[in-house]
Amino acid sequence: MKLHPPDCIAVIFCAQRTKDDDEAYEAAANVMSNLAAQQSGYLGQDNSRSEDGLGITVSYWESDEAARAWRDHPVHSAIREQGRDKWYESYTLHVARIERSYDWNKSGIGKNSVP
Amino acid sequence: MKLHPPDCIAVIFCAQRTKDDDEAYEAAANVMSNLAAQQSGYLGQDNSRSEDGLGITVSYWESDEAARAWRDHPVHSAIREQGRDKWYESYTLHVARIERSYDWNKSGIGKNSVP
């Protein structure tokens, strides 16, 4: 959870999990998360998953080219096929360009905004 | 979880909850969710919250003006102050403009992309 600059890309992935195969899914999700972090142009990600299996992952990228390169990464592509086959009921994916950002925290560093 | 058109606005709110006051928080979150849905230009939202209290809400708006009007809504502003006081340790908010979108579902309606 951190502030990303204007003009960078947010990939918003919302997915409803099947009820099956939790262990294999978690293992694959960890591999994907670590592999994404090694890609050129990767800025970070936020992840949340509700008990009902609705998960949101937002990954942040320096450019659309970097986001597309990750989409096309062969390992990512292979895991995505597995996801459709076994782990997901449905998903939406929105690719969006950040225009402005804010953060806040209670511990006193306070509030920032960009730009 | 649905597909939103290019040029609409996604407001990505990632927040770490405090451990306190779950009931009042849930009540306020429901009021906010229902009130947002009544605003002009509202397109929808996706919500997820992990057991560790990390939550992501993405709300979708027809225009930046609609997103800003919701930000400035007096009831939303008042609840946001309560959130900082009681319910959140920290949060980030990214306002982003959607460039392209995809969805997929297992049940056979299949895969769509926009544009």
Side-chain angles (χ1 to χ4, degrees):
Chain A
M1 241 174 65
K2 61 179 185 176
L3 213 52
H4 299 291
D7 282 331
C8 84
I9 296 288
V11 179
I12 306 160
F13 179 67
C14 302
Q16 182 63 52
R17 280 271 286 121
T18 56
K19 292 189 175 21
D20 309 323
D21 207 24
D22 269 348
E23 238 173 79
Y25 169 75
E26 292 296 340
N30 284 335
V31 168
M32 281 307 92
S33 182
N34 292 330
L35 188 61
Q38 294 166 29
Q39 304 307 304
S40 176
Y42 173 87
L43 295 174
Q45 61 181 291
D46 294 308
N47 283 291
S48 181
R49 183 166 302 279
S50 298
E51 279 178 54
D52 65 0
L54 194 287
I56 302 177
T57 297
V58 187
S59 61
Y60 303 91
W61 301 89
E62 277 178 5
S63 67
D64 196 27
E65 291 67 33
R68 287 178 192 266
W70 172 236
R71 176 195 67 188
D72 297 336
H73 189 293
V75 177
H76 189 194
S77 298
I79 295 280
R80 184 164 50 233
E81 287 306 315
Q82 275 198 284
R84 287 177 186 160
D85 192 38
K86 292 190 281 192
W87 300 319
Y88 296 124
E89 288 293 345
S90 59
Y91 62 73
T92 58
L93 188 145
H94 290 96
V95 179
R97 190 172 299 270
I98 290 178
E99 298 196 343
R100 60 183 185 277
S101 304
Y102 310 89
D103 70 356
W104 175 87
N105 76 77
K106 198 185 277 297
S107 65
I109 301 168
K111 189 180 170 183
N112 299 294
S113 67
V114 177
Chain B
M1 239 174 67
K2 61 179 184 175
L3 212 52
H4 299 290
D7 283 332
C8 85
I9 296 288
V11 178
I12 307 160
F13 178 67
C14 301
Q16 183 62 51
R17 281 270 287 120
T18 56
K19 292 188 176 17
D20 309 323
D21 206 24
D22 268 349
E23 241 173 78
Y25 168 76
E26 291 297 340
N30 284 335
V31 169
M32 281 308 91
S33 182
N34 292 331
L35 187 61
Q38 295 166 28
Q39 304 307 305
S40 176
Y42 174 87
L43 295 175
Q45 61 181 291
D46 295 308
N47 283 291
S48 181
R49 183 167 302 279
S50 298
E51 279 177 54
D52 65 0
L54 195 285
I56 301 177
T57 297
V58 187
S59 61
Y60 303 90
W61 301 88
E62 278 179 5
S63 66
D64 196 24
E65 290 67 32
R68 287 179 191 267
W70 170 238
R71 176 196 66 188
D72 296 336
H73 189 292
V75 177
H76 189 195
S77 297
I79 294 280
R80 184 164 50 232
E81 288 305 315
Q82 275 198 284
R84 287 177 185 160
D85 191 39
K86 292 191 279 193
W87 301 320
Y88 296 124
E89 288 293 344
S90 59
Y91 62 73
T92 58
L93 188 146
H94 291 95
V95 179
R97 190 172 298 272
I98 290 177
E99 299 196 343
R100 61 184 183 278
S101 305
Y102 310 88
D103 69 356
W104 175 88
N105 75 77
K106 197 184 280 294
S107 65
I109 302 168
K111 189 180 170 182
N112 299 295
S113 67
V114 178

